[in-house]
Amino acid sequence: MSSNNTLATLGWREWIALPDLGINNIKAKVDTGARTSALHAYFVEPYHKGEEHRVRFGIHPHQGDNDTETLCDARVIEERKITDSGGHVEFRFVIETTVVIGTIRRNIEMTLTNRDTMKFRMLLGRTALNGVFCVDPESSYLLGHSPV
């Protein structure tokens, strides 16, 4: 088991980047209660490229801004049944992508779902944190602020 001295500390919300998806900055809620990370997608279109299952999707990366959009494309690694905090069950596409938090870069799994009614466009779940980060729930933006 790792000691907290070797882990980078995150606040309950952090600015991150998803470079594989063309997202330079997005505010994420760090949620140790969520197993898998989730990204807001206002549309999701599955398709096949040869034998590969892929998905096109659009996101509005900034809170309260539905005009700025980023169109993304990723390989689907699976479809998974997810139960949200309200107990609602939804089948979601799961992708793998690179996340950059501060100076730390790693590959994570992420589900795609419509988060229009949520305050944060992204949740960073505990499997993305495992072995690398610990969370200080009283702090925010410990690894830097948005360049925007």
Side-chain angles (χ1 to χ4, degrees), residues 1-20:
M1 184 125 181
S2 297
S3 161
N4 281 351
N5 294 335
T6 63
L7 302 177
T9 302
L10 299 177
W12 72 272
R13 59 187 171 177
E14 291 290 341
W15 285 102
I16 67 165
L18 302 168
D20 299 344

Side-chain angles (χ1 to χ4, degrees), residues 71-128:
L71 302 179
C72 307
D73 184 282
R75 183 177 67 85
V76 173
I77 58 174
E78 71 175 302
E79 290 183 58
R80 189 178 298 159
K81 184 169 74 170
I82 303 290
T83 304
D84 68 19
S85 59
H88 305 99
V89 176
E90 175 184 30
F91 280 92
R92 297 183 191 171
F93 292 105
V94 181
I95 64 170
E96 185 176 84
T97 193
T98 302
V99 64
V100 179
I101 309 168
T103 60
I104 298 169
R105 177 184 208 84
R106 69 187 318 207
N107 288 334
I108 65 167
E109 288 186 358
M110 186 170 325
T111 66
L112 304 175
T113 188
N114 190 319
R115 294 184 53 80
D116 267 338
T117 61
M118 305 301 207
K119 186 173 179 181
F120 290 86
R121 300 299 170 116
M122 184 176 164
L123 281 183
L124 193 64
R126 67 180 175 270
T127 57

Side-chain angles (χ1 to χ4, degrees), residues 7 28 39 55 59 66 69 72 83 93 97 100 102 141-143 148:
L7 302 177
L39 181 64
V55 66
I59 74 159
N66 287 336
E69 63 183 17
C72 307
T83 304
F93 292 105
T97 193
V100 179
Y141 312 120
L142 294 176
L143 297 184
V148 171

